[in-house]
Amino acid sequence: MMDIVKLQKLQSFVDTACRIVFFGGAGVSTESGIPDFRSQDGLYHQQYDVPPETILSHTYFENHTEEFYRFYRNKMLCLTAKPNAAHRKLVELEKAGKLLAVVTQNIDGLHQMAGSENVLELHGSVHRNYCQNCGAVYDAAWMMLTHGVPHCEKCGGRVKPDVVLYEESLPEDTLKKSVTAIANADLLIVGGTSLTVYPAAGLLRYFRGEHLVLLNRDATPMDDMADLCIREPIGDVLGAIQVR
């Protein structure tokens, strides 16, 4: 049963805000059928010969490239997923002129599929894959049809997902834009993230606005900083918000 008092409080925050930023993680997409990483049902709790966080590292990508792509196609590409109520509500807020930006750690492209325009992808996207030799770009559907290590149709170079792996740096331009958006927000809504992955989680320290809201199934290290914490499905929570 949804906590009506908390929902009313969130509604009041949304009503009075004019510069909202949404900062989201894997929990935003679980209601679309994409598994998260750190929950009990997440990828990191499944049994593999090599831990997923090792497979998704730059070192593993370079040293065990074919195994990396096998895992990537099987577990990271979910091209049948559709946006859920949370994605759709953020589109409404943006169209109403209340939402400045979506800052996301997700690589699934569901925010754009729903219709969000100002999406800052901290960890890249599965929908962009580029040849490391000539720079040719391929989409996720092309990647899904390849076998073994994918090679460029133009020059034969290795095609790498435009996804930030462990040991790699976040894209500097996206990071700067995210800092600016969060610093200018009067309401920061954080959803579906454990707030344990840095440097992404560290972006919250740039927020100087009125209200910080955390929407997450489990407790986070930053709950004490928040004006409001709701531990309900994000789609249910945001779906219940009126845009006015």
Side-chain angles (χ1 to χ4, degrees):
M1 185 74 177
M2 189 79 68
D3 188 320
I4 300 301
V5 173
K6 287 189 174 184
L7 194 60
Q8 289 174 338
K9 192 173 183 180
L10 176 58
Q11 182 71 63
S12 71
F13 290 170
V14 171
D15 288 343
T16 57
C18 58
R19 299 186 310 278
I20 302 171
V21 168
F22 181 81
F23 179 91
V28 178
S29 297
T30 53
E31 291 168 58
S32 296
I34 296 178
D36 63 4
F37 289 86
R38 289 173 174 78
S39 72
Q40 283 304 113
D41 301 320
L43 284 178
Y44 289 177
H45 287 273
Q46 297 178 24
Q47 296 301 311
Y48 297 99
D49 292 337
V50 180
E53 57 265 48
T54 299
I55 298 174
L56 295 173
S57 70
H58 180 81
T59 298
Y60 195 89
F61 172 76
E62 292 294 346
N63 295 336
H64 306 276
T65 310
E66 191 158 344
E67 279 301 300
F68 168 88
Y69 279 105
R70 188 172 67 85
F71 179 88
Y72 180 77
R73 291 189 191 92
N74 289 340
K75 296 298 181 181
M76 307 304 290
L77 292 181
C78 188
L79 304 187
T80 57
K82 302 296 182 186
N84 60 53
H87 298 101
R88 293 191 292 271
K89 186 61 65 174
L90 294 171
V91 175
E92 283 187 53
L93 287 166
E94 185 179 47
K95 287 182 176 178
K98 294 178 76 73
L99 183 77
L100 289 178
V102 171
V103 181
T104 181
Q105 299 174 82
N106 295 341
I107 59 176
D108 51 47
L110 291 180
H111 287 293
Q112 291 94 329
M113 190 184 297
S116 287
E117 294 185 7
N118 192 18
V119 182
L120 300 170
E121 296 172 312
L122 292 171
H123 295 156
S125 173
V126 299
H127 296 283
R128 298 185 301 271
N129 303 274
Y130 64 93
C131 173
Q132 292 181 289
N133 185 43
C134 75
V137 177
Y138 297 90
D139 62 17
W142 179 90
M143 177 66 78
M144 202 66 171
L145 293 173
T146 61
H147 301 281
V149 178
H151 288 95
C152 178
E153 295 175 356
K154 297 177 181 178
C155 74
R158 185 173 65 183
V159 177
K160 182 181 185 294
D162 187 14
V163 170
V164 179
L165 302 177
Y166 288 102
E167 305 167 348
E168 294 179 345
S169 300
L170 299 188
E172 188 174 339
D173 184 57
T174 303
L175 202 53
K176 287 180 178 177
K177 288 178 180 177
S178 300
V179 167
T180 300
I182 290 171
N184 289 328
D186 55 8
L187 170 61
L188 179 60
I189 302 175
V190 180
T193 172
S194 62
L195 293 175
T196 57
V197 177
Y198 284 80
L203 292 176
L204 268 66
R205 72 179 184 270
Y206 293 99
F207 178 62
R208 297 290 184 269
E210 292 294 319
H211 300 295
L212 172 63
V213 175
L214 298 184
L215 311 177
N216 199 52
R217 186 173 69 177
D218 303 313
T220 79
M222 299 187 187
D223 283 7
D224 291 343
M225 297 169 50
D227 298 288
L228 178 63
C229 295
I230 302 178
R231 293 178 187 164
E232 302 287 345
I234 297 170
D236 292 349
V237 176
L238 291 184
I241 293 298
Q242 300 297 310
V243 180
R244 50 201 183 203

